[in-house]
Amino acid sequence: MNEFSITKTGLLAFLDQLNQDFEVLAPVMEKGLLSFQQIHNSEAVTLNFSNTVKPPKEFFFPQAECLFCASCEDQKNGVIEHPTESSSPRVLFGVRPCDARSFCLLDQVFLGDTTPDPYYAEHRARTVVVAIGCDQPSQTCFCSSVGGNPFDETGSDLMLIEADDGYLVKSTSLRGEELLARYGAFFEEPSESVKASVQKTIRETQDSMPAIVDVSMVTSQLGQAIAPDFWDRVYEKCVGCSICAFLCPTCHCFDITDEVIASDTVRLRTWDACACSYFTLEASGFNPRPTQKERVRNRFMHKFAYFPENFAQIGCVGCGRCVRDCPVNLDIRQVLSDIAALEKSELR
Amino acid sequence: MQPETENIRKIARRLLENQEVELVIGYEKGSLPLRSTPCFARTPADVDRLIWDGTCENNLTRFLRHRKGRTAVVAKGCDVGSLVSLIKENQLGRDQIYIIGVPCSGVIDRKKISSILGGREIQTVEELEDSLILAGHWYEVKIPKEEILYSACKTCRSKNPVIFDALAAEPIGVDEASSEYERVAAFESQTPEERWSFFMEEVSRCIRCYACRDVCPVCYCSDCFVDCSKPRWIGKSTNLSDTAIYHIIRTLHTAGRCTDCGACVKACPMDLDLRLLTKKMEMDIQDMFDYRAGENLESASPLTTYSLDDPQDFIW
C-alpha cells in the first residue's frame, strides 16, 4: 500500500489532469443540491460536503438502461441492436466510504458467480473510485452499525483523508496503485505531521461514531413465529413512494419493460421499489404483498435478513439518506432498535 | 408544553376512552431535530406521545383512506381543506372522521433551515413564539420564524380550520394575506420560451419517486395513470419529456381539488418547485369558475359538476 500527500491546490490540478485522460465525475453543488456530475474543470468541484442527495449507484446501475433496441424502419428490419454508449475510462471522485462499500454489495448481485450482468460489468470495469474519508459524519450516518466505518477502504481504489492543508492519499487497490504511479508528479511523500494528523482524525471520528443499532436480531421469523404484530406498529405511516429505494446506494431491484415509439422499440431496465403497491402485483391480479405492511416488512427483511443469508453481508451501508429524506420520517435505525429491544422479551 | 399539545392529548384521550373513535392520527416527535412524524394513537400510552409544534408538516388526512370505523385526525387549516375536497368526492363520510382542528400560523421548512445553516447540523432547538434558536457544534443562531416557513405557509389563507369537531386552540387572527399569486403572475409575464426552459430545467431533477403523488391527500386513485401499461401514458424512465408530462398531468388531475397544503413540496427530495404549477391551477380555477377548493362543503366542485351556465368563453 502506498501513501502520499497532496495539497488542496495540488488536488485540483490533479483533477484537471485526470480530466484530460478520463471522464471525471465529482460532487457539484447546483441550486442547493449536491450531485455527482461530469466536470470539465476542477473549479466546479465541491470539496466541503456531507454527501450527495442521490447515491452513486446510478453510474453502474443507471436508473434507466437500454438493454437492447430494434427498429422496423427501412433497412433495420427489426434486427436487435445493442446500445453503443461511451466506454471511455472514468474516475468517480469524492465517494464516501459507505458508498464505496455499496459498490461491493452491488457486485455480489450483478457480478454473481454464474451470470454476470454485462451492462453493470462494463460500467464497473471502466471506473476508478476515489474515496474521501469522513472526518465529520452526519447525525444520520450509521455506517459503523452495519459493518462499515468512516474510513473503510472497501470498494475504493484511492482513499483521501483530509490532513493539514491537503490530504493523505492511499492506494487501496492495484488500480489505485497504478493511478498513483501514473500521476506521481502531483504527489509528495507524506510528512510525519500529516500522518499524525490523519491518525488523530481517524481515532477521534471513530470514537464519535459508536455502533448505535444491533442489526443481528433481524430474522425472517419476525412478524410470524416471533412478535406476530410487530410490523403492524411500523408500517402505517409509510406512503409507499420510492424515495428510500431510489436514494439507497444498495437497493437494486428493477423492472424490465418494452417501450415502443413509432417503429422503434427499446427494452428498458428501470429502478423499481418494493414499497410500491404494484411491485409484486402479478398478471393474474394477485399480489402476495397486498398491503403496505407486507411491503415495509420486505424492505427490512431484504436488507437485514435475506441479503445476509444469501451473501453473508448486511444489505445496508448506513449512509443515512433514507433517514434524511423519508417524507414521513420512518427511521430505519429506530425500527432496528425496536427489533433489538424485542430480543429481551420475545426473541431467543 | 404548547397548549395545543395538551389539548390534543386531552381530546384524544377522551375520544379513545369513550370509544368514540378507534384511532387518533396525530403527530409525535421525530427522530431528528426539527422533525415530527405521524403517530397512530390507539392506547393511552400512544396518546402521551402526541405533540403539536412548528414541525408538524405532514398532511395526515392522506392516512384516512380505506378505513372502517371512525377515526380522529389532527388537522391544520390546509389539511382540513383537503378533508373538504375528500368529503365532496365521497372518499370520506363526514361522520367517519372526528376533526381535531389546529389553528396554525405556519410550519417550518427544514430544507430552508439546512440551507441557512450551510449544512451544519442541529444539536438543540428552542422554539420561541416568533423565532427558533438553533445550536450545534460551535454555533448558535436565532432565526425569525417568518424567514423559515414553507412558502405555502407564507401566503396561507386557511390558518383556521373551516370545519372541525374540536379546536385545539383559539382561532388565529388573520391578516390580509399577501398576494399569494405574485410568483405565478411574475412567471406568467415571461415569454413562453423562458417559461418552458425554466420548467424543463426544474423537472430535469425529478427522480420519479412519486413521493409528491403518494403524500397528496387527493391523489387516491387505485390505478394511477403512471402505473398503467395498457395504454402506456408515460414511460418508466427519467426521459425528460415523460417526466414533464407526469407533472403536467398530475397538476391537471388535482386542479380544483388541491388546497395548496404543500405536502408535495415538503416530500420532494430534489426540491422541485411544484407549487408553481399547482398555484397556477388554483388561480385559473378561481378566475374561470369563481371557486376555491377546501373553503366549504357546500360549494359545487367545478370539474365534477355540470351546469348549463358553466362559463365557456375560454374554450374558444
Side-chain angles (χ1 to χ4, degrees), chain B residues 264-277:
Chain B
C264 49
V265 171
K266 293 164 189 168
C268 180
M270 307 303 283
D271 295 341
L272 262 63
D273 186 5
L274 301 165
R275 285 186 65 245
L276 188 61
L277 301 177

PDB file of all heavy atoms in Angstrom, chain B residues 264-277:
ATOM      1  N   CYS B 264     -46.633  17.996  -1.242  1.00  0.00           N
ATOM      2  CA  CYS B 264     -45.793  17.566  -2.359  1.00  0.00           C
ATOM      3  C   CYS B 264     -44.403  18.202  -2.281  1.00  0.00           C
ATOM      4  O   CYS B 264     -43.385  17.527  -2.404  1.00  0.00           O
ATOM      5  CB  CYS B 264     -46.457  17.919  -3.687  1.00  0.00           C
ATOM      6  SG  CYS B 264     -47.042  19.623  -3.811  1.00  0.00           S
ATOM      7  N   VAL B 265     -44.384  19.497  -2.049  1.00  0.00           N
ATOM      8  CA  VAL B 265     -43.110  20.207  -1.988  1.00  0.00           C
ATOM      9  C   VAL B 265     -42.281  19.737  -0.802  1.00  0.00           C
ATOM     10  O   VAL B 265     -41.073  19.554  -0.888  1.00  0.00           O
ATOM     11  CB  VAL B 265     -43.365  21.728  -1.868  1.00  0.00           C
ATOM     12  CG1 VAL B 265     -42.082  22.458  -1.591  1.00  0.00           C
ATOM     13  CG2 VAL B 265     -44.010  22.257  -3.114  1.00  0.00           C
ATOM     14  N   LYS B 266     -42.950  19.519   0.325  1.00  0.00           N
ATOM     15  CA  LYS B 266     -42.244  19.087   1.532  1.00  0.00           C
ATOM     16  C   LYS B 266     -41.622  17.712   1.343  1.00  0.00           C
ATOM     17  O   LYS B 266     -40.578  17.401   1.901  1.00  0.00           O
ATOM     18  CB  LYS B 266     -43.207  19.042   2.719  1.00  0.00           C
ATOM     19  CG  LYS B 266     -43.710  20.416   3.139  1.00  0.00           C
ATOM     20  CD  LYS B 266     -44.937  20.295   4.035  1.00  0.00           C
ATOM     21  CE  LYS B 266     -45.585  21.639   4.274  1.00  0.00           C
ATOM     22  NZ  LYS B 266     -46.927  21.518   4.888  1.00  0.00           N
ATOM     23  N   ALA B 267     -42.283  16.870   0.546  1.00  0.00           N
ATOM     24  CA  ALA B 267     -41.794  15.497   0.374  1.00  0.00           C
ATOM     25  C   ALA B 267     -40.686  15.375  -0.670  1.00  0.00           C
ATOM     26  O   ALA B 267     -39.873  14.457  -0.603  1.00  0.00           O
ATOM     27  CB  ALA B 267     -42.960  14.592  -0.022  1.00  0.00           C
ATOM     28  N   CYS B 268     -40.666  16.295  -1.636  1.00  0.00           N
ATOM     29  CA  CYS B 268     -39.750  16.131  -2.775  1.00  0.00           C
ATOM     30  C   CYS B 268     -38.289  16.169  -2.351  1.00  0.00           C
ATOM     31  O   CYS B 268     -37.839  17.175  -1.807  1.00  0.00           O
ATOM     32  CB  CYS B 268     -40.010  17.207  -3.826  1.00  0.00           C
ATOM     33  SG  CYS B 268     -38.911  17.066  -5.256  1.00  0.00           S
ATOM     34  N   PRO B 269     -37.520  15.108  -2.635  1.00  0.00           N
ATOM     35  CA  PRO B 269     -36.114  15.098  -2.219  1.00  0.00           C
ATOM     36  C   PRO B 269     -35.227  15.949  -3.124  1.00  0.00           C
ATOM     37  O   PRO B 269     -34.080  16.239  -2.784  1.00  0.00           O
ATOM     38  CB  PRO B 269     -35.726  13.622  -2.326  1.00  0.00           C
ATOM     39  CG  PRO B 269     -36.656  13.052  -3.326  1.00  0.00           C
ATOM     40  CD  PRO B 269     -37.923  13.842  -3.263  1.00  0.00           C
ATOM     41  N   MET B 270     -35.764  16.348  -4.277  1.00  0.00           N
ATOM     42  CA  MET B 270     -34.954  17.107  -5.219  1.00  0.00           C
ATOM     43  C   MET B 270     -35.366  18.570  -5.308  1.00  0.00           C
ATOM     44  O   MET B 270     -34.955  19.278  -6.242  1.00  0.00           O
ATOM     45  CB  MET B 270     -35.023  16.459  -6.624  1.00  0.00           C
ATOM     46  CG  MET B 270     -34.691  14.992  -6.636  1.00  0.00           C
ATOM     47  SD  MET B 270     -33.071  14.597  -5.957  1.00  0.00           S
ATOM     48  CE  MET B 270     -32.008  15.057  -7.297  1.00  0.00           C
ATOM     49  N   ASP B 271     -36.199  18.997  -4.357  1.00  0.00           N
ATOM     50  CA  ASP B 271     -36.593  20.404  -4.259  1.00  0.00           C
ATOM     51  C   ASP B 271     -37.221  20.968  -5.521  1.00  0.00           C
ATOM     52  O   ASP B 271     -36.900  22.085  -5.943  1.00  0.00           O
ATOM     53  CB  ASP B 271     -35.378  21.288  -3.877  1.00  0.00           C
ATOM     54  CG  ASP B 271     -34.864  20.961  -2.494  1.00  0.00           C
ATOM     55  OD1 ASP B 271     -35.632  20.347  -1.716  1.00  0.00           O
ATOM     56  OD2 ASP B 271     -33.710  21.278  -2.184  1.00  0.00           O
ATOM     57  N   LEU B 272     -38.085  20.222  -6.148  1.00  0.00           N
ATOM     58  CA  LEU B 272     -38.799  20.752  -7.315  1.00  0.00           C
ATOM     59  C   LEU B 272     -39.836  21.760  -6.847  1.00  0.00           C
ATOM     60  O   LEU B 272     -40.517  21.534  -5.852  1.00  0.00           O
ATOM     61  CB  LEU B 272     -39.518  19.609  -8.060  1.00  0.00           C
ATOM     62  CG  LEU B 272     -38.812  19.031  -9.288  1.00  0.00           C
ATOM     63  CD1 LEU B 272     -37.485  18.399  -8.914  1.00  0.00           C
ATOM     64  CD2 LEU B 272     -39.706  18.012  -9.973  1.00  0.00           C
ATOM     65  N   ASP B 273     -39.957  22.870  -7.567  1.00  0.00           N
ATOM     66  CA  ASP B 273     -40.925  23.879  -7.185  1.00  0.00           C
ATOM     67  C   ASP B 273     -42.295  23.520  -7.761  1.00  0.00           C
ATOM     68  O   ASP B 273     -42.768  24.138  -8.712  1.00  0.00           O
ATOM     69  CB  ASP B 273     -40.469  25.254  -7.686  1.00  0.00           C
ATOM     70  CG  ASP B 273     -41.369  26.369  -7.183  1.00  0.00           C
ATOM     71  OD1 ASP B 273     -42.279  26.091  -6.383  1.00  0.00           O
ATOM     72  OD2 ASP B 273     -41.167  27.518  -7.624  1.00  0.00           O
ATOM     73  N   LEU B 274     -42.926  22.520  -7.152  1.00  0.00           N
ATOM     74  CA  LEU B 274     -44.183  22.010  -7.687  1.00  0.00           C
ATOM     75  C   LEU B 274     -45.328  22.995  -7.503  1.00  0.00           C
ATOM     76  O   LEU B 274     -46.318  22.962  -8.231  1.00  0.00           O
ATOM     77  CB  LEU B 274     -44.523  20.678  -7.004  1.00  0.00           C
ATOM     78  CG  LEU B 274     -43.433  19.617  -7.205  1.00  0.00           C
ATOM     79  CD1 LEU B 274     -43.636  18.462  -6.228  1.00  0.00           C
ATOM     80  CD2 LEU B 274     -43.453  19.103  -8.632  1.00  0.00           C
ATOM     81  N   ARG B 275     -45.206  23.861  -6.514  1.00  0.00           N
ATOM     82  CA  ARG B 275     -46.303  24.782  -6.231  1.00  0.00           C
ATOM     83  C   ARG B 275     -46.466  25.822  -7.328  1.00  0.00           C
ATOM     84  O   ARG B 275     -47.514  26.435  -7.438  1.00  0.00           O
ATOM     85  CB  ARG B 275     -46.088  25.467  -4.878  1.00  0.00           C
ATOM     86  CG  ARG B 275     -46.372  24.589  -3.702  1.00  0.00           C
ATOM     87  CD  ARG B 275     -46.289  25.356  -2.404  1.00  0.00           C
ATOM     88  NE  ARG B 275     -47.320  26.371  -2.310  1.00  0.00           N
ATOM     89  CZ  ARG B 275     -47.087  27.681  -2.269  1.00  0.00           C
ATOM     90  NH1 ARG B 275     -45.845  28.133  -2.316  1.00  0.00           N
ATOM     91  NH2 ARG B 275     -48.079  28.534  -2.189  1.00  0.00           N
ATOM     92  N   LEU B 276     -45.445  25.984  -8.153  1.00  0.00           N
ATOM     93  CA  LEU B 276     -45.584  26.916  -9.265  1.00  0.00           C
ATOM     94  C   LEU B 276     -46.738  26.461 -10.150  1.00  0.00           C
ATOM     95  O   LEU B 276     -47.582  27.253 -10.588  1.00  0.00           O
ATOM     96  CB  LEU B 276     -44.278  26.948 -10.059  1.00  0.00           C
ATOM     97  CG  LEU B 276     -44.165  28.000 -11.147  1.00  0.00           C
ATOM     98  CD1 LEU B 276     -44.269  29.388 -10.557  1.00  0.00           C
ATOM     99  CD2 LEU B 276     -42.845  27.849 -11.892  1.00  0.00           C
ATOM    100  N   LEU B 277     -46.802  25.135 -10.383  1.00  0.00           N
ATOM    101  CA  LEU B 277     -47.857  24.594 -11.230  1.00  0.00           C
ATOM    102  C   LEU B 277     -49.202  24.574 -10.514  1.00  0.00           C
ATOM    103  O   LEU B 277     -50.232  24.975 -11.059  1.00  0.00           O
ATOM    104  CB  LEU B 277     -47.500  23.160 -11.653  1.00  0.00           C
ATOM    105  CG  LEU B 277     -46.198  22.974 -12.430  1.00  0.00           C
ATOM    106  CD1 LEU B 277     -45.961  21.493 -12.690  1.00  0.00           C
ATOM    107  CD2 LEU B 277     -46.246  23.736 -13.742  1.00  0.00           C
TER     108      LEU B 277
END
